[in-house]
Amino acid sequence: MKQAPSRLLRLWLVTWLAGIGASALASGGCAPPAARDTAEPARDLVRSARHSDLKWPEFPDLRAEIERLYERASWRSLWLRDGRPTEAAIGLIARLAAAESLGLEAADYDATWLDQEARAFASGRGSPAPERLSRFDVGLSVAAVRLVSALHRGRVSPRAVQAQLFIPRPSLAVEMAVDSLRHPDLQGPVLDRLQPRLLHYQLLKNVLVRMRRLARDTTLVPLPALPALVKPGMRLGAAVPLRRLLEATGDLDRGARPKISASGHYTPDLVAAVKRFQRRHGFEPDGVLGPATAAALNRPFARRVRQIELALERFRWLPVSFTVPPIIVNIPAFRLYVFRGAIDREEDMIAMDVVVGEAFDKRTPVFAAALKHVVFRPYWEVPAGIMKTELIPRALADKKFLQRERMVLVSGDADDAPVLPPTRENLARIGADLRLRQLPGPENALGLVKFLLPNAHDVYLHDTAAKGLFSRARRDMSHGCVRLSDPVALAGHLLRDRPEWTVERIRQAMDGDDDNRMVTLTRPVPVCIVYATAIARENGEVHFYPDIYGLDGELDRLLRAGYPYPK
């Protein structure tokens, strides 16, 4: 499946050449005069930063790059030779027409108009005016710059959707990359090198092909009306169309037909398939057909296609490759992935469940930072907002509250800061010159170890005393920090280059009496907290997650607004 876009491009090119291009390009007669001067019209068009033949005519954001591109060629045509499209132009237009395979929109790159113009020029009929030739040439250059930029860094700036992914990455001279596309044999390699080299990015592109095919089948959804609640063994009039849908999504083996005629019942094989569907969509896998599961089953595949397109856009905000194996937290999936090498194969990663910030008002931010320290048996320095809105009222109402929670009033940041009695007067000083600190121990809100990645949000990764939260499917329950289901595994990975820090010693440090012990890593590790509601697995599964923070909606609106996108 991975090779499908390449086969389509080859087929398109052969058809194009067989129909018009080959004979016209091979012919020596009827060619427009080579001396046509297209430089001045091209210069005027580029400097106006507006091209009325394009779907998105304004390109002020690209003007400088396109000017440099043409200045390198002394303003000669880049994609035409003697008034005819070059082989590189024909190949590039084919790639623009196949942009959907990359999660982009072919119409955004004017593939249809460019193809029509190229065919007209290649036919050798008539003598196109210099202005028309220039408009085609500049139009293809604008499309090429837009494509290169979209694949290398995404279309929308992460900052426009509340993401602060300021990750060092090699700079790209876009005009140089586009200039390379003028060589037909370089187009594939250049465009591949621009994109993330992560395996799961490639898997997601592959899944997109299958999901588009399902979106074209209008018989799969919606299902016939379902009862409000269907439990295993109950009668189900929609069993046959449900079976067909689950076979199409891959949740039910097409060969797993029941041995008895039970088309009107919710049979065990259907229940198992629904459980698999529920797991892939972030639900509790109870096998019960309730309203939420029914709504997910009936969701149009076009919406799933869009989730994949948005996830691919977010992938492109990351570096093409990482110099240090990173840690990635995917908020909607409630999962953390620790890369142990350069390749993100599942067998080479440590994966664990996490708890993230509440969707309503305590969201975990999307950002990147460097993890530098591991702290065993940490204090919890309670944030001001939590002190004022949650803890002070409880402390005023219950004199034993702070004692039960092992919290003390302190003045100053030092470990040995003076502890003051929790009088009503002192409680009133919280947030001014006093604050709350929870002492280390098994009941500490941060658990027995935390991982510091200095950032403006004061967000970090940590253990938790509330282990029961990891049994839930939806886990947006923290104040913003990321709680880990297996902090020992993460600590062991981070300290693996220090032989003295065995798993046994890590556990001793967590269970001992040396409080707030900080260990500095020999090399910082990049942490990327990202937001992707669609993920492809190596086993062929694709998982979709609820847009808990509404960030997919924001990104979708910005992308539909079209070029030029906000920087």
Side-chain angles (χ1 to χ4, degrees):
M1 186 174 293
K2 184 176 180 180
Q3 300 301 320
S6 297
R7 290 198 299 270
L8 289 173
L9 285 170
R10 288 197 296 271
L11 179 61
W12 190 96
L13 186 57
V14 169
T15 303
W16 202 99
L17 291 172
I20 297 178
S23 60
L25 290 173
S27 170
C30 301
R36 279 192 195 280
D37 185 9
T38 59
E40 198 60 35
R43 185 182 292 109
D44 292 342
L45 189 57
V46 171
R47 290 179 178 171
S48 73
R50 191 177 193 284
H51 193 313
S52 60
D53 293 314
L54 306 184
K55 177 183 178 181
W56 308 110
E58 310 291 340
F59 58 94
D61 54 322
L62 309 177
R63 179 171 56 194
E65 291 162 321
I66 296 175
E67 278 187 340
R68 290 194 294 269
L69 179 63
Y70 276 96
E71 285 170 353
R72 286 170 52 83
S74 301
W75 289 93
R76 290 189 298 272
S77 176
L78 302 177
W79 310 103
L80 295 166
R81 185 177 300 114
D82 296 330
R84 306 275 179 83
T86 63
E87 182 184 352
I90 296 168
L92 182 56
I93 294 170
R95 294 181 185 280
L96 296 174
E100 287 190 350
S101 68
L102 302 170
L104 305 173
E105 298 287 342
D108 286 348
Y109 306 96
D110 300 282
T112 300
W113 174 74
L114 290 166
D115 179 54
Q116 291 171 347
E117 290 293 275
R119 290 175 183 271
F121 299 156
S123 71
R125 294 190 295 270
S127 300
E131 290 78 6
R132 184 180 176 186
L133 296 171
S134 295
R135 297 184 76 80
F136 167 83
D137 204 83
V138 173
L140 185 50
S141 295
V142 171
V145 171
R146 282 175 170 169
L147 178 67
V148 165
S149 180
L151 293 180
H152 181 65
R153 61 192 178 215
R155 290 159 287 177
V156 171
S157 166
R159 191 180 298 181
V161 284
Q162 307 172 41
Q164 297 182 12
L165 293 168
F166 305 134
I167 308 171
R169 57 191 300 168
S171 60
L172 174 71
V174 173
E175 68 276 9
M176 298 290 286
V178 172
D179 195 52
S180 298
L181 300 181
R182 296 171 63 196
H183 302 275
D185 294 341
L186 295 181
Q187 288 182 357
V190 167
L191 295 177
D192 284 343
R193 284 198 296 270
L194 294 171
Q195 300 175 65
R197 298 189 187 127
L198 295 172
L199 170 63
H200 286 75
Y201 172 80
Q202 302 298 331
L203 293 174
L204 203 55
K205 286 198 299 182
N206 295 345
V207 165
L208 182 59
V209 177
R210 176 162 61 92
M211 205 57 56
R212 288 192 190 281
R213 185 173 64 250
L214 292 177
R216 290 192 293 269
D217 187 344
T218 58
T219 67
L220 292 173
V221 292
L223 294 168
L226 297 173
L229 194 69
V230 184
K231 295 183 178 181
M234 293 177 63
R235 288 192 60 81
L236 179 61
V240 171
L242 174 61
R243 179 179 299 279
R244 183 169 177 268
L245 173 61
L246 292 171
E247 287 176 343
T249 59
D251 294 301
L252 179 63
D253 186 352
R254 292 182 184 274
R257 298 282 180 172
K259 295 181 179 179
I260 60 173
S261 177
S263 61
H265 287 79
Y266 190 27
T267 53
D269 62 329
L270 284 177
V271 174
V274 167
K275 286 183 178 180
R276 185 178 180 188
F277 177 90
Q278 290 172 323
R279 279 192 295 269
R280 290 195 305 107
H281 291 76
F283 296 127
E284 297 284 354
D286 56 13
V288 175
L289 280 173
T293 298
L297 286 165
N298 280 311
R299 189 159 293 131
F301 285 99
R303 291 176 60 181
R304 299 304 187 195
V305 167
R306 191 55 172 169
Q307 280 183 263
I308 294 173
E309 291 173 341
L310 297 177
L312 289 171
E313 172 75 7
R314 295 179 187 278
F315 261 112
R316 295 177 189 125
W317 295 344
L318 301 176
V320 171
S321 60
F322 289 90
T323 56
V324 176
I327 296 168
I328 294 182
V329 177
N330 186 11
I331 294 171
F334 310 115
R335 293 282 280 175
L336 176 145
Y337 305 92
V338 182
F339 287 36
R340 290 188 284 196
I343 301 175
D344 57 319
R345 292 195 179 278
E346 292 175 20
E347 64 181 15
D348 296 329
M349 293 192 293
I350 301 171
M352 68 184 71
D353 291 335
V354 299
V355 174
V356 300
E358 294 179 18
F360 179 63
D361 62 350
K362 301 180 180 70
R363 297 179 177 184
T364 297
V366 178
F367 73 101
L371 198 161
K372 298 180 178 180
H373 311 284
V374 179
V375 181
F376 294 104
R377 299 185 61 81
Y379 291 110
W380 181 35
E381 308 293 355
V382 184
I386 299 176
M387 287 192 296
K388 292 180 179 179
T389 61
E390 299 181 29
L391 301 184
I392 294 177
R394 297 176 70 178
L396 289 172
D398 181 355
K399 294 181 180 180
K400 299 292 185 180
F401 172 75
L402 294 182
Q403 181 180 349
R404 285 199 307 273
E405 297 297 323
R406 290 178 51 81
M407 290 185 177
V408 294
L409 282 169
V410 296
S411 174
D413 297 327
D415 289 356
D416 58 353
V419 175
L420 285 79
T423 63
R424 184 169 293 273
E425 292 75 14
N426 285 341
L427 290 175
R429 293 166 57 189
I430 293 177
D433 59 335
L434 298 183
R435 56 191 179 79
L436 285 173
R437 166 187 287 172
Q438 188 176 36
L439 300 176
E443 301 305 317
N444 187 282
L446 306 185
L448 295 171
V449 60
K450 69 176 178 179
F451 306 88
L452 295 181
L453 44 149
N455 61 87
H457 309 284
D458 197 24
V459 164
Y460 39 87
L461 316 178
H462 64 83
D463 181 22
T464 179
K467 306 292 187 183
L469 297 180
F470 295 109
S471 64
R472 303 185 185 183
R474 178 163 175 166
R475 297 187 293 275
D476 52 322
M477 303 168 184
S478 80
H479 287 87
C481 288
V482 178
R483 306 180 192 179
L484 309 177
S485 61
D486 194 355
V488 174
L490 180 57
H493 170 78
L494 294 172
L495 299 174
R496 66 193 183 282
D497 58 346
R498 301 173 68 164
E500 69 273 20
W501 281 103
T502 62
V503 171
E504 181 181 0
R505 186 178 178 190
I506 288 171
R507 293 190 183 278
Q508 289 174 348
M510 294 169 64
D511 297 330
D513 53 11
D514 189 0
D515 294 339
N516 218 40
R517 179 177 183 178
M518 179 181 290
V519 180
T520 301
L521 303 185
T522 55
R523 182 171 65 167
V525 175
V527 176
C528 301
I529 299 181
V530 303
Y531 193 94
T533 62
I535 292 294
R537 295 282 307 279
E538 292 172 40
N539 62 5
E541 289 183 349
V542 55
H543 290 241
F544 296 101
Y545 305 105
D547 182 15
I548 58 173
Y549 292 171
L551 297 184
D552 266 8
E554 289 186 33
L555 181 56
D556 181 60
R557 285 190 292 274
L558 285 172
L559 288 172
R560 293 187 188 281
Y563 286 99
Y565 294 108
K567 297 299 181 184

